[in-house]
Amino acid sequence: MPTLQEQIEESRREALAALEQVGNSEALEEWNIKYLGKKGQLTGLFRGVGALPPDERARAGQAVNTAKQELEEAYTRARERVVERERGQQLQKEAVDVSLPGRPAHAGHLHVITQTSRDILRAFRDMGFQVYEGPEVELDVYNFELLNIPREHPARSMHDTLYVDERLIGLRDESRPPGDTPPMMLRTHTSPNQIRLMRKFPPPIRVVVPGRTYRAEAIDATHEAYFSQIEGLAVDKKVTLADLKGTLATLARALFGPERLVRFRCDYFPYVEPGVDLAIDCIVCSGTGCRACKYTGWLEIMGAGMVHPQVLINGGIDPDEYSGFAFGLGPERIAMLRHAIDDIRLFYSNDLRFLQQF
Ligand code: FA5
């Protein structure tokens, strides 16, 4: 049976040797429990001291203490080594290889309708027009009444209007009879800006107004309930139909090529007199007749006309002194023609396979 002294020496040697092998903090913790813990070897040896005859206890106790102290110091050094090493490993794991090529950034791009609208606005800017915007929630007076479309006018039925219930936004005028047409709506066209801008600026006026428009449409391949328009208005002394024709022919050629033919035919809008409809010769068949132009050879692209004298008066402008022209076109329809897109619903269905092509 080895003496206590021998056991201490044996334990000490074994512990120091084991500590050499410790490579990480878990193993270090296990080592600590095994040798220095409450139930560890050294603590066990302390208990052995109590069983010795009294004259040997002091020496043996000191020997265990010395061994314990040595092991504790060795433990502290080992912990520094392990911590240092683990930090190194962690840094290595997190290291950034600066020589790796970067991941390409996923840049989005402008929606095809925004691109088309900007092309149209650019063409007008080159002709000296300024760009303005107006509200999407519009008052009945601007959207209809001041444009010569009073209540009960049949032209209202061409615009399936989405009215705004003003009670929802706390604006309902309770003095109006119940069931009365609400005076507020989502604008059905950008034409209310004709009045807004005439009231704001004295002539000469040359403006284009892009924006969203809304109609409770039966949606199909060429009709959306949510689409955009660009309104145009020019008011000055001696503006004539020839100016309107020249301006719109220039636009058509800027958008669809210099060889484009344009056709003006009579059309009716209550706020212009005369009113016209502008068509270009079919870009698919050049006018010989095909499915795209329904075998007419022509594609209608917008409504236009000379501003009605009453509308000038409503805008605060004297029709004896000034005249003007106005037009309204739809960028979705223009984009469909330019890119041979056969269904308007593709623009707002958010299919990236479609959108990424432009
Ligand atoms: C108007 O809205 C008139 N305010 C245009 C105008 C302005 C005439 C100034 C005279 C003077 P219209 O309802 O035709 O007209 O619409 C004009 C354009 O908007 C159409 O040519 C078409 O390009 C587009 N548009 C109309 N309804 C829809 C729809 N449901 N979906 C997509 N585009 C539409």
Side-chain angles (χ1 to χ4, degrees), residues 266-279:
C266 287
D267 202 346
Y268 172 71
F269 301 94
Y271 34 97
V272 286
E273 183 56 41
V276 296
D277 141 300
L278 168 65

Side-chain angles (χ1 to χ4, degrees), residues 159 189 191 194 215 217 222-224 227 229 231 269 271-272 301-305 326-330 333 344:
H159 297 226
H189 53 172
S191 298
Q194 291 184 29
R215 291 183 195 175
E217 293 275 13
T222 53
H223 294 84
E224 263 289 3
F227 56 100
Q229 284 193 344
E231 190 78 11
F269 301 94
Y271 34 97
V272 286
I301 59 170
M302 72 175 101
F327 53 85
L329 61 103
R333 300 264 178 87
I344 195 170

Side-chain angles (χ1 to χ4, degrees), residues 100-116:
L100 269 181
R103 292 193 199 108
H106 264 294
H109 68 284
L110 294 178
H111 189 277
V112 56
I113 295 304
T114 309
Q115 293 180 34
T116 308

Side-chain angles (χ1 to χ4, degrees), residues 79-320:
R79 200 177 50 195
E80 278 165 16
R81 170 169 58 85
V82 164
V83 165
E84 184 83 0
R85 186 162 157 199
E86 286 182 346
R87 192 178 301 141
Q89 286 168 340
Q90 185 67 19
L91 280 179
Q92 215 160 28
K93 225 190 310 176
E94 289 171 2
V96 177
D97 180 353
V98 290
S99 68
L100 269 181
R103 292 193 199 108
H106 264 294
H109 68 284
L110 294 178
H111 189 277
V112 56
I113 295 304
T114 309
Q115 293 180 34
T116 308
S117 297
R118 290 194 181 179
D119 287 348
I120 297 167
L121 295 177
R122 196 173 302 118
F124 282 115
R125 191 193 61 196
D126 291 348
M127 291 186 263
F129 283 73
Q130 285 175 284
V131 181
Y132 278 91
E133 290 188 345
E136 290 182 26
V137 177
E138 186 53 281
L139 295 168
D140 186 280
V141 277
Y142 287 109
N143 197 82
F144 289 132
E145 295 218 359
L146 295 169
L147 293 172
N148 285 345
I149 318 176
R151 281 165 209 209
E152 321 309 333
H153 192 291
R156 285 210 183 194
S157 62
M158 299 194 309
H159 297 226
D160 296 296
T161 308
L162 293 159
Y163 287 97
V164 173
D165 184 344
E166 335 89 276
R167 276 168 309 183
L168 293 178
I169 48 177
L171 284 176
R172 168 85 180 165
D173 172 5
E174 296 300 340
S175 64
R176 280 195 303 110
D180 195 10
T181 315
M184 221 184 274
M185 69 245 321
L186 296 179
R187 66 182 175 196
T188 57
H189 53 172
T190 43
S191 298
N193 294 293
Q194 291 184 29
I195 303 288
R196 287 182 174 279
L197 290 165
M198 280 191 277
R199 287 187 170 186
K200 195 162 176 177
F201 301 110
I205 297 172
R206 270 183 208 82
V207 288
V208 272
V209 188
R212 293 263 171 246
T213 45
Y214 304 82
R215 291 183 195 175
E217 293 275 13
I219 293 168
D220 62 22
T222 53
H223 294 84
E224 263 289 3
Y226 163 77
F227 56 100
S228 48
Q229 284 193 344
I230 294 178
E231 190 78 11
L233 174 71
V235 181
D236 204 346
K237 289 181 176 157
K238 299 195 177 74
V239 171
T240 69
L241 192 64
D243 296 314
L244 170 65
K245 288 175 76 175
T247 304
L248 296 184
T250 305
L251 172 77
R253 288 168 190 148
L255 291 178
F256 296 105
E259 69 287 359
R260 220 62 288 148
L261 300 176
V262 288
R263 181 193 71 184
F264 292 86
R265 282 201 313 192
C266 287
D267 202 346
Y268 172 71
F269 301 94
Y271 34 97
V272 286
E273 183 56 41
V276 296
D277 141 300
L278 168 65
I280 54 172
D281 61 323
C282 179
I283 52 177
V284 179
C285 65
S286 295
T288 52
C290 71
R291 247 173 37 156
C293 60
K294 301 196 184 85
Y295 301 95
T296 62
W298 295 96
L299 297 165
E300 291 169 13
I301 59 170
M302 72 175 101
M306 299 305 291
V307 181
H308 193 288
Q310 184 59 48
V311 173
L312 287 174
I313 293 169
N314 295 345
I317 291 173
D318 180 358
D320 291 331

